[in-house]
Amino acid sequence: MASNAENHLVTEKIGVVGAGIVGLAVARELATARGAEVTVLEKEGRVGAHQTGHNSGVVHAGIYYPPGSLKARLCREGVALLKEYCAAYALPYEEVGKLVVATSGAERPRLAALAERARANGVPGIAELDALALREIEPHAVGVAAVHSPHTAICDFPAVARRLALDVAELGGSVRLAHPVRALRERAGKVEVVAGRRRFAFDRLVVCAGLGTDAVARMAGAGGDVRIVPFRGEYYALRGKARELVRGLIYPVPDPRYPFLGVHLTRRIDGGVLVGPNAVLAMAYEGYRWSNFGNVRQILGWPGTLRMARAHWRTGLKEVYGSLVKDAFVMAARRYVPELGPADLERAPGGVRAQAVARDGGLVDDFVVDVRGKVVLVRNAPSPAATSSLAIARHIAGIVPALVR
Ligand SMILES: Cc1cc2nc3c(=O)[nH]c(=O)nc-3n(C[C@H](O)[C@H](O)[C@H](O)COP(=O)(O)OP(=O)(O)OC[C@H]3O[C@@H](n4cnc5c(N)ncnc54)[C@H](O)[C@@H]3O)c2cc1C
């Protein structure tokens, strides 16, 4: 093909807001695939300080997501890329397997639909088990039937994020910690960004700010029809010998009305077992505790929040009860592993999900990426975005037009 001497690719300077697993994966991808000079701007003093460092650590296999959705595609691609990445850098990655367990006949049709969906998404090894067969996988679990996903894995997402940050540096980029982005504007073909006490000029900016998305979107003049609503996910951890009652991952049949998967039992890469997370509407973006009320105005000021609360108030109250009363967690765990008692559970640190909610109150199910001029905004990257991060990065690199001069 004849090349046009006037039009050639130049080294792009690309800024990325947020050193969570998505931002770091995007930065690495743009540096590798595009040869861009990347700068990651992170407000905290370490990488992976928010969702990336406060999650269940499950590498989802792609069971739940509607076939054809970005989640379904990028989860499957993401698993393959993540597995390879962990192997390449000797990062922990263990295929402990997952059981999705029906505890009553009423849940059977939804369980069967889930198995069908998993197969449609290309999840390998899916098996439908009866009450006896499920105990061969998890000897202390009970249920009337289960779907088994043997390749569902666990990993250490913060360790992956730290490794990605090293890659970025090795590729000639930089990760600037303690650089909160305070202002940005597009001017003279550049995106000017004020972060910490410094000013930067980029050819493009990719915003992967998780719980801070709306604030950065506002700076970019991007309102739009979705806002981040924070949902706290609280956990308990199993104590001592009780940990031996769970081999891998035991999940309920999810309620199809919600993107959250329900309180589950999760083996961790460090040998611990978590029970959780629930999903409680928080009143601060970084609302790790009940006492955090810092963003009430923004959260309740979004019409979607109140519409969502009106539509789902019963579930909301149940989640609040579960948050305040330990017995609710114990009951949720005992449904699947009846040998567990209150003394086996102790509080563990939780996380806060950045979940986009539409103006009409609908919880946005799929990943959402908006392109606005020279700014690319990741507007919704909830679970399984940690699993999918390397594939999300490729997707973003594919939709950001290359700079041609
Ligand atoms: C309780 C819980 C359980 C989950 N379980 C799983 C799971 O098992 N498997 C899975 O795949 N996913 C899971 N997820 C989802 C997963 O953790 C997230 O989808 C993923 O971590 C999103 O990564 P991120 O980089 O977009 O966000 P984050 O990790 O939140 O990173 C965003 C970064 O942007 C920074 N930032 C924000 N504003 C600014 C600003 N103005 N200037 C500079 N920096 C800024 C923040 O400090 C933060 O470091 C879970 C999430 C939660 C909360």
Side-chain angles (χ1 to χ4, degrees), residues 232 234-236 263 275-280 290 316-334 341-342 345-347:
R232 188 168 52 250
E234 297 156 328
Y235 293 95
Y236 281 81
V263 167
V275 182
N278 56 1
V280 184
W290 269 103
L317 284 182
K318 247 172 62 191
E319 294 291 332
V320 167
Y321 176 75
S323 167
L324 299 174
V325 180
K326 179 180 175 183
D327 265 359
F329 259 89
V330 178
M331 294 304 285
R334 279 172 58 87
L345 274 70
E346 62 187 355
R347 272 270 184 204

Side-chain angles (χ1 to χ4, degrees), residues 82-97:
L82 186 63
K83 188 173 173 181
E84 198 179 270
Y85 190 77
C86 288
Y89 289 104
L91 296 169
Y93 186 102
E94 241 182 275
E95 290 188 347
V96 292

Side-chain angles (χ1 to χ4, degrees), residues 50-51 209-214 227-232 260 285 351-357 364 378-383 385:
H50 289 290
Q51 294 174 93
L211 294 155
T213 299
D214 290 351
R227 291 288 183 282
I228 291 296
V229 173
F231 283 90
R232 188 168 52 250
F260 313 125
Y285 291 117
V352 185
R353 304 172 184 85
Q355 170 63 49
V357 172
V364 179
V378 176
R379 298 296 298 245
N380 195 41
S383 185

Side-chain angles (χ1 to χ4, degrees), residues 16-25 40-60 65 75 82 153 157 176 178-183 194-195 207-213 215-216 219 231-235 251 261 264 266 268 276-278 286 288 349-354 367 378 380-389 392:
V16 176
V17 184
I21 198 166
V22 174
L24 291 165
V40 182
L41 302 167
E42 165 58 51
K43 71 184 172 71
E44 304 292 353
R46 64 182 198 281
V47 306
H50 289 290
Q51 294 174 93
T52 299
H54 296 88
N55 61 42
S56 299
V58 176
V59 182
H60 289 291
Y65 321 113
C75 181
L82 186 63
F157 288 123
R176 293 178 185 264
H179 275 65
V181 170
R182 301 183 194 286
V194 180
V207 180
C208 310
L211 294 155
T213 299
V216 186
M219 295 174 206
F231 283 90
R232 188 168 52 250
E234 297 156 328
Y235 293 95
Y251 277 60
L261 301 178
H264 43 264
T266 309
R268 304 274 294 171
N278 56 1
E286 293 169 16
Y288 291 95
V352 185
R353 304 172 184 85
F367 298 145
V378 176
N380 195 41
S383 185
T387 301
S388 316
S389 49
I392 292 175

Side-chain angles (χ1 to χ4, degrees), residues 265-351:
L265 292 121
T266 309
R267 179 153 290 282
R268 304 274 294 171
I269 214 82
D270 64 5
V273 177
L274 289 179
V275 182
N278 56 1
V280 184
L281 178 60
M283 286 299 136
Y285 291 117
E286 293 169 16
Y288 291 95
R289 295 174 193 287
W290 269 103
S291 52
N292 299 146
F293 275 88
N295 305 105
V296 179
R297 205 170 45 82
Q298 293 97 318
I299 294 163
L300 294 183
W302 175 239
T305 308
L306 292 181
R307 289 184 181 129
M308 175 194 68
R310 263 201 297 275
H312 301 292
W313 63 271
R314 272 197 191 84
T315 311
L317 284 182
K318 247 172 62 191
E319 294 291 332
V320 167
Y321 176 75
S323 167
L324 299 174
V325 180
K326 179 180 175 183
D327 265 359
F329 259 89
V330 178
M331 294 304 285
R334 279 172 58 87
R335 253 184 102 189
Y336 302 95
V337 182
E339 287 164 65
L340 289 170
D344 295 322
L345 274 70
E346 62 187 355
R347 272 270 184 204

Side-chain angles (χ1 to χ4, degrees), residues 102-186:
T103 53
S104 71
E107 287 181 331
R108 279 180 191 276
R110 275 195 280 138
L111 189 70
L114 208 60
E116 204 173 304
R117 181 171 274 195
R119 290 194 188 101
N121 286 340
V123 180
I126 288 295
E128 290 172 77
L129 309 180
D130 62 16
L132 269 181
L134 76 86
R135 288 186 78 109
E136 280 169 29
I137 311 283
E138 287 286 354
H140 301 276
V142 294
V144 298
V147 166
H148 184 221
S149 164
H151 298 289
T152 296
I154 53 175
C155 81
D156 183 345
F157 288 123
V160 174
R162 288 192 294 272
R163 182 58 246 179
L164 289 168
L166 290 177
D167 286 356
V168 169
E170 284 168 13
L171 289 159
S174 58
V175 179
R176 293 178 185 264
L177 304 175
H179 275 65
V181 170
R182 301 183 194 286
L184 63 93
R185 65 172 175 182
E186 282 194 42

